[in-house]
Amino acid sequence: MKIVVTGFGLRAAVGPDAEQSWESISNGKSGIVRTTVVPTDGLVSSMGGQVESEVETGPPSSRTTYVDRCHRLASAAATEALTHARVDQASVDRTRIALSLGTSLGGARSGEEFHRQWIQDGLRKANTGLLRQYPLHSVADYLASEFQLFGPRSVQSNACAAGAVAIAYGIELLESDAADMVLAGGVDPLALLSFGGFSSLKALDPLHCAPYTRSSGLNLGEGAGFLVLESEASAVGRGAAIYAEIAGYGLSADAYHATAPDPMGRGALRAMHAALRMSGNTVDDVDYVNGHGTGTAANDSVEAKAIANLREGAAPPASSTKSMIGHTLGAAGAIEAVTSVLAIQNQEMPPTVTPDGLRSPTGLDIVAEAAKKARLKTVLSNSFAFGGNNASLAIREYSADPSAQAPKSVRPVVITGIGALAGDAVTTEDVKAALFEGRPVYGDGTVEVEGFGSFPFGDIPVDKLKKGIDPKYLRHMDTLGRRSALAVSQLLKQRGLSRAEATSTGLLFATGTGPISTVEAFERELLTTGSGNALLFPNTVMNAAPGHVALLNKLQGPTATICAGNTGAITALHFAQNLISNGVVDRMIVLAADEAPHAMLAAYAPIPGYLARSVCLPYTNSGRVISGAAVAILLESEDSVDPGRVLGRIENFGMTGDGSGPSRLRQGSGAWARSFRLALDGHSPETVDAVVAAACGREAVDTLEIEALAATGLSGRPISTPKAIFGDAGASGGLLGVAQAVWMSQEKFIPGNAGVVASGPAGLVPGSGKAGEVYRTLVSTCEAGGSFQSVTIAT
């Protein structure tokens, strides 16, 4: 399938739309100024790529009408892209339009303001309405509601590579027929968290940044970029203008250092080669590289080395858009992809703005100062992130190809290993035992929340997060990284990999809220003292935990981090299955981890009835018990493993959304029921032997799920509610459901629902459990904001 670009939108420091931004970029006009939207007193630099047209009027004055700066930037660029593609005039089913978003910060500005109010005035006076727009996935939920995009919804957060990874996943959504059209891109605002963090690392340049030349530091930027992607057949069929082809992508992990890139550039080079391999191009076809080019010495030298080694002879010309718009973090890969499309459209290589008289010491042609006319057929767009996460997109000039393309071969994918820890169950065996014994893993521990009383919670004891981790790495890891490492360690003990197998293995990480305890600790110090802790900041990015896991286990295959709340693990499974099925890689570890720190309980406590006061009782409106867990699932191509290792297989996915809007569920059960139907893929509900429900003790969730089950004929099937045992463990809940599907088949038993009263759906399994064969299980997940994802597991 040929994936083409039919629309693009851009919001950056150099212009309010794509056309004006390109005019500034091609003329070497910089938008980097002294920022006014972030307090920078005492920081290394105040220079930033600020979007001047996005005016800030001070702290939010309304709980209902306030829209975070990040959401506004995203909306502006998305509006342009969708208008450009004439989506409103197209006869495209809105349930078949997907959204794939990359962001590093999301609504961090809203979270920062809530945190400031909490510190200054106390928790009772802090505006909890701000938290509706704080989670990363709230940006996607906002866009889905605003533009009525009701297909699959995903949020990628591989730090500075997030926007490029979002476009890569957009390709997979189209290739797997999960969508007919994808709005794919990235967004990030300027925020104190990023300024304070990079300042603590002394990575900011107090001057105008100078990538590939002086390389003395980066300038932060903000903005958003989006592409509308669809198949060539779809675009031609509706008479859409086609601007370029996204021909391939490459993802890799350095597995070298927690923050520094591999000095030899090997991971970056693997990503570029993978993108070209997928596109069917050779290294000699590359006409231009839109570089990562941050302006820091380490990144610039490594990327220059990778580009120089891409092929024999002269390296392709390269330039850095960041020299004009700053480093837009999670938006960078998307903004630079839009810039690459515009470069192809205009047959012009954008320049790198350089200080007077300076030229690159690398010997690369960095297209200095002024744009250069060139014949551009194939462009590589590079994005390299903290933790050694590399992404490269191959973007090609579009040409109609009348010849029929051969369909891709599809390889069956199987589950071959499970590692898990949850609450006080710190081994896979303990987790399984707790489930089948009906013993809640959150025990009777409680946390006192200032002014709101005590609440139960279930998190993994800190003293249990050390065994099996090399001490020289342990001190660099926070609790999210440690639990992630232990889950993968348990998995690899079960399914040992050779060194060669490990280095070719990929890692997809899903998390609901990421390293929230580390973010809270870093930001609290930043807000109270004016400076951040350089030891904490590297672990505040969402992909820090999988970066540690890759480093510990030398995993260098494709990597991505999904931060979409409770549905993220199903997205990760889908992405991983596609990578294996399409032959990109033979095996992938899918990992999910979340924590239950005091900061999260403090955020939820002011919402009446939201948190449970004793235990989690689904279908009784008991409230949620927030808990921590980490689960790792190994997926492999069936043709590469001994049949005796196969634990189960993934059958079908159901990934849907509605327009509820950030932190709300108010559009009925239709989208959830649609998710179940897609996961069944034509199978009769009677063929489902068990349903692992998302029911969490919140009426808004539990009632909708009951309605969706009834609408699809599943309410009479045996229904299990594992959150009564594990609490609500964020993204980990989805993988706990997959593990439960495998274990139920092994034990020929569906565990009982501890403490659940008889007010649930008809098929609710009694506390004593239910014996019988379990072949097909449907696992259900939901996230506030209107995202629903389910998967069927066969054993």
Side-chain angles (χ1 to χ4, degrees):
M1 179 187 291
K2 187 177 287 188
I3 308 300
V4 298
V5 176
T6 56
F8 50 81
L10 183 58
R11 191 79 155 181
V14 289
D17 57 27
E19 182 179 357
Q20 292 183 58
S21 293
W22 174 255
E23 183 178 352
S24 296
I25 288 170
S26 65
N27 289 320
K29 179 182 175 183
S30 176
I32 295 172
V33 297
R34 295 196 179 279
T35 183
T36 59
V37 296
V38 173
T40 57
D41 291 347
L43 302 181
V44 168
S45 176
S46 63
M47 299 294 284
Q50 181 171 305
V51 177
E52 299 291 353
S53 57
E54 202 61 59
V55 179
E56 287 295 312
T57 57
S61 57
S62 169
R63 289 174 181 256
T64 56
T65 61
Y66 167 74
V67 178
D68 188 274
R69 186 177 184 87
C70 181
H71 298 53
R72 285 181 274 131
L73 289 167
S75 178
T79 297
E80 183 184 10
L82 293 167
T83 301
H84 211 150
R86 297 187 291 116
V87 171
D88 283 341
Q89 300 168 40
S91 57
V92 181
D93 180 354
R94 292 283 169 163
T95 68
R96 297 280 297 171
I97 304 179
L99 175 59
S100 183
L101 176 76
T103 185
S104 186
L105 295 168
R109 292 172 63 91
S110 292
E112 173 194 313
E113 178 59 26
F114 172 83
H115 206 181
R116 183 180 289 108
Q117 293 175 10
W118 176 11
I119 291 169
Q120 292 177 352
D121 305 320
L123 189 58
R124 279 202 170 274
K125 292 184 179 180
N127 177 7
T128 55
L130 289 164
L131 297 178
R132 292 188 182 280
Q133 297 181 60
Y134 171 63
L136 296 191
H137 64 81
S138 75
V139 190
D141 299 335
Y142 178 79
L143 294 177
S145 178
E146 186 174 14
F147 299 108
Q148 303 293 284
L149 310 178
F150 301 150
R153 191 180 309 167
S154 175
V155 177
Q156 318 294 328
S157 195
N158 280 62
C160 316
V165 176
I167 292 170
Y169 184 56
I171 293 174
E172 295 302 337
L173 286 167
L174 292 167
E175 291 273 12
S176 64
D177 196 33
D180 295 328
M181 184 180 286
V182 182
L183 177 66
V187 61
D188 262 326
L190 291 173
L192 182 61
L193 178 65
S194 53
F195 260 98
F198 283 100
S199 180
S200 73
L201 297 180
K202 304 294 190 291
L204 297 180
D205 196 330
L207 305 174
H208 192 293
C209 68
Y212 305 134
T213 52
R214 192 177 63 238
S215 297
S216 52
L218 61 86
N219 297 146
L220 289 167
E222 65 180 352
F226 284 95
L227 298 176
V228 175
L229 307 178
E230 56 187 302
S231 70
E232 179 187 36
S234 169
V236 171
R238 69 184 186 89
I242 297 176
Y243 301 101
E245 178 188 352
I246 307 298
Y249 68 86
L251 308 176
S252 73
D254 283 355
Y256 172 78
H257 188 273
T259 55
D262 176 355
M264 300 303 294
R266 288 168 291 202
L269 195 57
R270 285 198 305 275
M272 289 189 281
H273 279 300
L276 292 170
R277 191 162 52 247
M278 184 180 288
S279 71
N281 288 103
T282 70
V283 292
D284 293 325
D285 294 327
V286 179
D287 300 307
Y288 161 70
V289 177
N290 190 291
H292 187 55
T294 61
T296 64
N299 279 285
D300 287 0
S301 63
V302 165
E303 185 179 19
K305 191 173 294 183
I307 293 171
N309 290 328
L310 181 63
R311 65 191 183 202
E312 293 183 4
S319 65
S320 171
T321 313
K322 293 180 180 72
S323 64
M324 291 167 275
I325 65 172
H327 189 355
T328 55
L329 302 180
I335 288 174
E336 287 153 18
V338 174
T339 303
S340 298
V341 170
L342 290 166
I344 289 171
Q345 279 292 298
N346 290 279
Q347 290 294 287
E348 196 172 58
M349 295 183 293
T352 306
V353 174
T354 61
D356 291 342
L358 281 184
R359 289 296 178 262
S360 177
T362 66
L364 288 181
D365 175 2
I366 62 166
V367 195
E369 295 304 328
K372 187 183 296 183
K373 286 291 183 181
R375 183 71 180 96
L376 300 182
K377 290 184 178 181
T378 303
V379 170
L380 283 179
S381 183
N382 287 339
S383 299
F384 308 136
F386 252 22
N389 287 196
N390 309 299
S392 189
L393 300 173
I395 303 174
R396 198 160 56 197
E397 181 182 54
Y398 171 71
S399 62
D401 184 0
S403 62
Q405 290 182 305
K408 286 186 177 181
S409 59
V410 176
R411 301 192 299 174
V413 179
V414 294
I415 300 168
T416 59
I418 299 169
L421 51 160
D424 62 16
V426 293
T427 68
T428 308
E429 294 74 20
D430 290 345
V431 172
K432 181 178 178 181
L435 177 66
F436 283 89
E437 292 168 8
R439 171 175 52 82
V441 299
Y442 51 84
D444 55 4
T446 60
V447 168
E448 188 75 21
V449 178
E450 165 198 340
F452 292 93
S454 62
F455 298 91
F457 80 113
D459 212 356
I460 303 161
V462 175
D463 62 349
K464 302 294 185 182
L465 296 175
K466 298 179 181 179
K467 187 178 179 181
I469 302 177
D470 188 330
K472 73 177 181 181
Y473 293 122
L474 189 68
R475 63 190 180 89
H476 297 292
M477 302 168 69
D478 64 357
T479 60
L480 192 68
R482 292 178 182 186
R483 67 191 59 197
S484 298
L486 289 178
V488 171
S489 174
Q490 292 184 37
L491 167 69
L492 294 179
K493 284 180 182 176
Q494 182 184 132
R495 167 68 170 101
L497 298 177
S498 68
R499 179 63 181 267
E501 287 175 326
T503 56
S504 63
T505 297
L507 174 64
L508 290 185
F509 178 63
T511 181
T513 55
I516 194 166
S517 60
T518 305
V519 172
E520 197 276 337
F522 178 83
E523 192 170 79
R524 180 175 288 272
E525 187 170 339
L526 185 61
L527 289 170
T528 54
T529 70
S531 63
N533 186 330
L535 297 178
L536 290 176
F537 181 64
N539 283 320
T540 64
V541 294
M542 299 293 161
N543 62 311
H548 289 301
V549 171
L551 180 58
L552 284 166
N553 299 287
K554 306 305 177 188
L555 309 175
Q556 297 179 347
T559 188
T561 292
I562 293 98
C563 193
N566 285 14
T567 59
I570 305 302
T571 299
L573 282 172
H574 179 256
F575 201 168
Q577 174 166 281
N578 283 6
L579 288 165
I580 298 170
S581 181
N582 294 338
V584 173
V585 67
D586 285 336
R587 70 191 59 78
M588 295 287 299
I589 293 173
V590 180
L591 168 67
D594 274 297
E595 53 183 350
H598 177 264
M600 187 182 296
L601 295 174
Y604 289 128
I607 305 171
Y610 191 90
L611 295 177
R613 289 287 182 176
S614 56
V615 293
C616 175
L617 298 176
Y619 309 121
T620 67
N621 203 26
S622 66
R624 292 171 68 193
V625 171
I626 305 299
S627 62
V631 187
I633 304 286
L634 183 62
L635 301 182
E636 301 189 69
S637 63
E638 188 171 28
D639 58 12
S640 68
V641 298
D642 187 309
R645 293 188 181 276
V646 176
L647 303 177
R649 68 191 70 242
I650 297 170
E651 285 194 322
N652 300 294
F653 293 89
M655 302 185 296
T656 63
D658 66 20
S660 290
S663 299
R664 301 181 186 278
L665 284 174
R666 57 185 183 188
Q667 296 285 305
S669 61
W672 208 336
R674 188 158 40 89
S675 169
F676 293 157
R677 292 191 191 97
L678 289 170
L680 288 173
D681 192 35
H683 290 291
S684 164
E686 285 72 30
T687 65
V688 174
D689 301 305
V691 174
V692 177
C696 64
R698 285 285 292 161
E699 186 176 30
V701 174
D702 297 3
T703 300
L704 276 188
E705 188 175 37
I706 289 174
E707 292 173 0
L709 290 167
T712 47
L714 288 164
S715 60
R717 307 310 300 156
I719 295 171
S720 173
T721 59
K723 287 186 175 66
I725 306 298
F726 300 124
D728 198 332
S732 300
L735 292 194
L736 282 168
V738 173
Q740 180 176 336
V742 170
W743 294 335
M744 289 190 298
S745 176
Q746 292 173 339
E747 301 299 323
K748 297 181 173 56
F749 190 82
I750 303 173
N753 295 278
V756 178
V757 298
S759 60
L764 189 64
V765 173
S768 57
K770 178 181 174 65
E773 296 283 347
V774 177
Y775 169 73
R776 178 174 290 119
T777 299
L778 183 141
V779 179
S780 169
T781 68
C782 156
E783 182 53 66
S787 180
F788 309 95
Q789 300 201 4
S790 54
V791 62
T792 47
I793 305 296
T795 51

